Amino acid sequence: VLAEKNTAAFLARYYRRPAPKVALYVSHAFDAASKAGLDPYLLTAIMSIESSLNPKARSHKGAKGLMQVHVAVHEDRFKPYGGPSKAFDPEISVKVGAGILAGMIERTGSVDGALKHYVGAANLRSDGGYGAKVISMRERIWIASQGRKVPNKVELAGAIKRANLAHAAAMATVRTAAGSVASG
């Protein structure tokens, strides 16, 4: 809970957004991440980079909401929540984005590969720096979550390693929980 509070406080200051709203978005991200077997700091970083924590964000390519989900491509993912019109609902945007990201990590086998897919650069040589930007923000968020001073610049190789380790730990937690439910 303290990690979530520290994360929200950092992001509210960073993006100059109302702290109560940011706390709600961060709560949605931590909840969705735990259910999808994702690193909550990675999910929060994507949400931050994609929309600058503006739930009404809209791209010229049709991406909408906090997670900037391309509604036309992922229309079926919104059906359980009432359809594509729910793309601007912060909780639904985060749930749908988390599901997309989890599938991309599973498909590509890596956080880096998933980020390249998430930004729409799967068939391109480069993601244009998107992955590094997300991983750098993830590192800043993780540092802030611990109540530590956040540096302006982070060492990318270490940040990538920590992101991959955090993802592996999140997946192990979900597998363990699923095993406990199945055997109980």
Side-chain angles (χ1 to χ4, degrees):
V1 175
L2 182 59
E4 279 186 50
K5 286 182 180 181
N6 289 342
T7 298
F10 166 71
L11 291 171
R13 282 189 313 273
Y14 189 89
Y15 288 104
R16 295 184 175 115
R17 301 268 183 222
K21 288 188 183 230
V22 174
L24 184 62
Y25 307 154
V26 168
S27 176
H28 293 327
F30 272 66
D31 184 54
S34 75
K35 289 177 180 159
L38 295 170
D39 167 20
Y41 303 111
L42 178 65
L43 191 60
T44 304
I46 291 171
M47 177 176 67
S48 300
I49 296 299
E50 286 291 338
S51 66
S52 300
L53 301 179
N54 174 4
K56 300 297 182 196
R58 181 189 303 249
S59 81
H60 66 280
K61 292 186 177 184
K64 297 177 180 177
L66 283 174
M67 295 294 291
Q68 287 294 281
V69 175
H70 285 270
V71 177
V73 175
H74 298 287
E75 188 173 335
D76 59 317
R77 291 184 180 264
F78 287 97
K79 284 182 183 171
Y81 306 107
S85 66
K86 297 294 186 174
F88 293 114
D89 179 303
E91 184 176 15
I92 293 169
S93 179
V94 172
K95 283 180 181 179
V96 170
I100 292 167
L101 180 65
M104 289 175 173
I105 291 174
E106 188 175 317
R107 187 170 38 253
T108 65
S110 72
V111 169
D112 288 346
L115 291 174
K116 191 173 179 191
H117 278 72
Y118 199 91
V119 76
N123 297 323
L124 303 176
R125 205 176 295 190
S126 167
D127 68 4
Y130 176 79
K133 192 174 182 179
V134 169
I135 294 295
S136 292
M137 179 54 86
R138 184 237 172 251
E139 184 79 352
R140 286 185 192 92
I141 291 169
W142 175 71
I143 291 168
S145 76
Q146 299 172 14
R148 295 175 25 215
K149 185 179 185 317
V150 179
N152 290 332
K153 207 169 190 185
V154 297
E155 192 269 312
L156 193 57
I160 290 169
K161 183 177 180 180
R162 280 184 288 283
N164 284 318
L165 289 171
H167 171 68
M171 284 301 298
T173 300
V174 167
R175 284 188 196 115
T176 301
S180 296
V181 170
S183 65

